[in-house]
Amino acid sequence: MKRIILLGLLSLGACSQGKISDRDVKRQQQQDQVNLKRQELTTVAGLYRGELRNPADGVNQSVLLNLQVKDIPESSGEGVDPVIVPKIVGNLRLYYGAEDGHEYWDAAIIESEYKPAQNLISLVVQHAQFDRMILQLEVADEGKTLRGSWSANSVGRTGTISLTKEETA
């Protein structure tokens, strides 16, 4: 009787070793999606330099846009494990006068969305001076150029923005 139980346990153990659990399958699918999303976002990550134009007052302001990819854990509501979601984070730096004058302020990116099929990036940056600024950018030249519009509704301003990616060594 003991031999039968022992053989049963051994065969059960051998069968369970080859089978992947549903949780592991789902985790692998999520990981594959995360890797694909990270790859898409990496194409636009980088440091961009350019100008923010305000046609209302004719001012062109030098800007630096820093886009980074960061994995953010989010609760999926399904199970205990958090889901890792790659997102664009960073900041928009606006310079007063010349860039070498070291007078600037930074606005953190608080929302981001990249649509690779349409080559569009939507960013929302926040700063005390204008609360929120929305950037709608078209990705061109294989991610080397960003062009589009900006609006800061709280101060009633809109304009255009043009940025070029800086080469990294």
Side-chain angles (χ1 to χ4, degrees):
M1 180 71 171
K2 288 183 181 179
R3 284 187 181 176
I4 293 174
I5 293 174
L6 183 60
L7 286 174
L9 288 174
L10 286 174
S11 64
L12 179 63
C15 291
S16 66
Q17 288 177 357
K19 186 175 184 234
I20 298 174
S21 71
D22 291 341
R23 182 178 179 183
D24 288 340
V25 169
K26 186 172 183 176
R27 187 178 292 153
Q28 185 60 49
Q29 288 172 340
Q30 288 175 340
Q31 188 61 44
D32 292 344
Q33 289 173 345
V34 164
N35 290 338
L36 179 62
K37 183 70 171 176
R38 188 179 299 109
Q39 235 177 355
E40 290 173 349
L41 295 177
T42 301
T43 62
V44 295
L47 197 58
Y48 294 83
R49 190 173 301 275
E51 284 188 332
L52 186 114
R53 294 175 194 88
N54 184 350
D57 58 14
V59 173
N60 293 344
Q61 194 165 10
S62 294
V63 294
L64 191 65
L65 179 64
N66 180 15
L67 300 179
Q68 302 171 355
V69 179
K70 185 174 182 182
D71 290 338
I72 310 290
E74 290 186 354
S75 175
S76 67
E78 300 176 14
V80 186
D81 296 336
V83 176
I84 301 297
V85 179
K87 293 194 174 191
I88 293 176
V89 297
N91 67 299
L92 176 68
R93 176 171 286 181
L94 288 96
Y95 290 93
Y96 295 110
E99 286 182 43
D100 57 359
H102 305 292
E103 293 183 46
Y104 61 85
W105 48 263
D106 287 331
I109 295 173
I110 59 169
E111 293 177 35
S112 63
E113 182 180 7
Y114 176 46
K115 297 177 183 176
Q118 291 89 15
N119 286 323
L120 295 174
I121 301 176
S122 297
L123 301 172
V124 178
V125 298
Q126 189 167 27
H127 188 271
Q129 183 175 346
F130 52 77
D131 188 30
R132 298 174 136 217
M133 179 187 287
I134 299 168
L135 306 172
Q136 300 292 335
L137 303 169
E138 179 183 354
V139 180
D141 304 323
E142 298 176 348
K144 294 178 183 171
T145 306
L146 303 177
R147 286 184 220 111
S149 63
W150 64 271
S151 62
N153 294 336
S154 64
V155 292
R157 303 253 173 135
T158 62
T160 60
I161 184 169
S162 180
L163 303 157
T164 303
K165 192 174 199 174
E166 293 193 343
E167 298 297 322
T168 56

